């Protein structure tokens, strides 16, 4: 099973930007990183008119699209329940670390991302799985280690130590 760290927070906190920077920094340090992004809405990576779209619309449960550079399997859930994070993690190839964006209510360790300009609820202190905060300013009385949201090097170092990557 791959090691998992989450990046959680509320809308417009900067989660996606932080995940992007962490992936870049950790892969630069030599780690093989995978990501899982939870979407709260329907999404499509396939588009009308494409052969794979036509296969799916005809009723295929799964469609694999394969080229020399990448491959993807599109699984049509139809009326099935949304898969759990554990089920999705089980489908990933071995890597050094999976960074999960979203799934803030799951039980894996998480870094809370805060945009202090927004009045969102705080997760750290209330949720024992939050192991650090990445914020765009000071957080008085932070109950876990606090990092500047833009200090990706320090945050990557924390992740290396916390996740036992070093």
């Amino acid at each position: 099973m791959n090691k998992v760290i989450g990046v959680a927070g509320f809308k417009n906190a900067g989660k996606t930007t932080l995940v992007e920077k962490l992936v870049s920094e950790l892969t630069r340090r030599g780690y093989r990183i995978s990501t899982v992004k939870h979407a709260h809405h329907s999404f499509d990576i396939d588009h009308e008119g494409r052969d794979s779209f036509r296969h799916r619309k005809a009723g295929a449960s799964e469609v694999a699209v394969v080229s020399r550079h990448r491959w993807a399997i599109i699984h049509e859930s139809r009326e099935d329940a949304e898969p759990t994070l554990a089920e999705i993690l089980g489908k990933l190839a071995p890597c050094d670390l999976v960074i999960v964006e979203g799934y803030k209510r799951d039980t894996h360790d998480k870094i809370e991302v805060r945009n202090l300009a927004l009045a969102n609820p705080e997760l750290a202190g209330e949720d024992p799985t939050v192991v650090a905060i990445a914020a765009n300013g000071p957080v008085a009385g932070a109950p876990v280690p606090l990092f500047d949201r833009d200090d990706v090097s320090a945050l990557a170092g924390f992740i290396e130590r916390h996740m036992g990557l070093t």
Side-chain angles (χ1 to χ4, degrees):
M1 183 68 145
N2 293 322
K3 294 179 180 189
V4 177
I5 188 80
V7 172
F10 292 89
K11 184 176 173 134
N12 296 320
K15 297 181 302 294
T16 300
T17 299
L18 182 59
V19 169
E20 179 183 15
K21 290 177 178 179
L22 285 171
V23 169
S24 182
E25 177 65 19
L26 290 165
T27 56
R28 186 190 66 71
R29 294 182 185 198
Y31 298 106
R32 183 181 177 114
I33 305 297
S34 294
T35 65
V36 174
K37 161 70 175 150
H38 186 259
H40 290 283
H41 49 80
S42 182
F43 71 93
D44 213 331
I45 63 170
D46 202 10
H47 301 285
E48 193 167 350
R50 298 291 200 187
D51 295 349
S52 52
F53 183 91
R54 292 171 60 192
H55 295 182
R56 209 165 34 96
K57 288 301 177 189
S61 296
E62 290 188 323
V63 177
V65 182
V66 182
S67 78
R68 186 172 74 84
H69 300 286
R70 69 189 54 87
W71 61 270
I73 296 177
I74 304 164
H75 179 92
E76 191 67 29
S77 294
R78 304 203 194 286
E79 301 303 316
D80 296 343
E82 179 178 310
T84 65
L85 176 58
E87 290 170 330
I88 296 302
L89 292 171
K91 295 179 183 300
L92 297 178
C95 63
D96 296 309
L97 181 69
V98 178
I99 300 175
V100 174
E101 181 180 341
Y103 292 96
K104 69 176 157 267
R105 302 288 176 228
D106 271 58
T107 59
H108 57 280
D109 285 354
K110 298 168 201 73
I111 297 163
E112 178 184 356
V113 184
R114 288 189 195 172
N115 178 346
L116 301 176
L118 305 174
N120 288 320
E122 297 175 357
L123 301 174
E126 301 296 317
D127 181 346
T129 66
V130 174
V131 297
I133 299 170
N136 61 337
V139 174
V144 293
L146 174 66
F147 297 88
D148 184 296
R149 198 174 59 182
D150 295 323
D151 191 353
V152 177
S153 180
L155 196 50
F158 171 81
I159 291 169
E160 284 178 314
R161 292 184 302 278
H162 181 77
M163 299 305 298
L165 299 178
T166 54

